[in-house]
Amino acid sequence: MKFIEPGKQYEEKAGEYIREFLDANSDINGAGSLDKYLDSEGYDAWLAFLERKCDDKQIAPGQVKASTYFWVRESDDQIIGMVNIRHGLNESLYREGGHIGYSIRPSERGKGYATQMLEQALWLCQLIGLDRVLAVCDKSNAASARVIKKCGGLLENEFYSDHYDEIIQRYWISNE
């Protein structure tokens, strides 16, 4: 498994990744807005969006720098998951989003990929200087909470989010 920066060569596979969520009637969280762009402006616009998100000079006011990666299985070049690493926190991310958002395609869940991916994402967070990482999930997503705990997450609190209409759990992971 390895992280790959999204590029034109993954356009078809990215579409298949999102279609699998839709076919499984699964929530699409942690996909870096890929689903929204594919539904409207297209893959090229999404790549441009990602480029702006990781360029300090192009980040919109109130937003934070972010890096997005595909988690790719090397044996078949299949996108298994995605991760978004936010290099900082604004008020909204501090409350409900966290430093890391991630997803695993529905057919590959329960195989340990999420834990592996989060462990590697934490290593990337270390490289950009994040020694304490906030990971957030819906309380109803017990699998995500287990992954975060396996990676050292300690529950700070939980609260009802009007925005998501869910109870949100906030975990801090020491990343030193």
Side-chain angles (χ1 to χ4, degrees), residues 3 14-15 19 21 42 59 75 88 91 98 107 112 131 152 157:
F3 282 127
R19 275 191 297 283
F21 282 86
I59 296 171
S75 63
E91 186 178 326
S107 64
D131 58 3
N157 65 347

Side-chain angles (χ1 to χ4, degrees), residues 66-85:
S67 303
T68 299
Y69 301 95
F70 292 136
W71 183 241
V72 176
R73 185 170 46 213
E74 294 179 82
S75 63
D76 61 1
D77 204 35
Q78 175 90 326
I79 299 172
I80 301 302
M82 289 182 68
V83 67
N84 304 297
I85 298 172

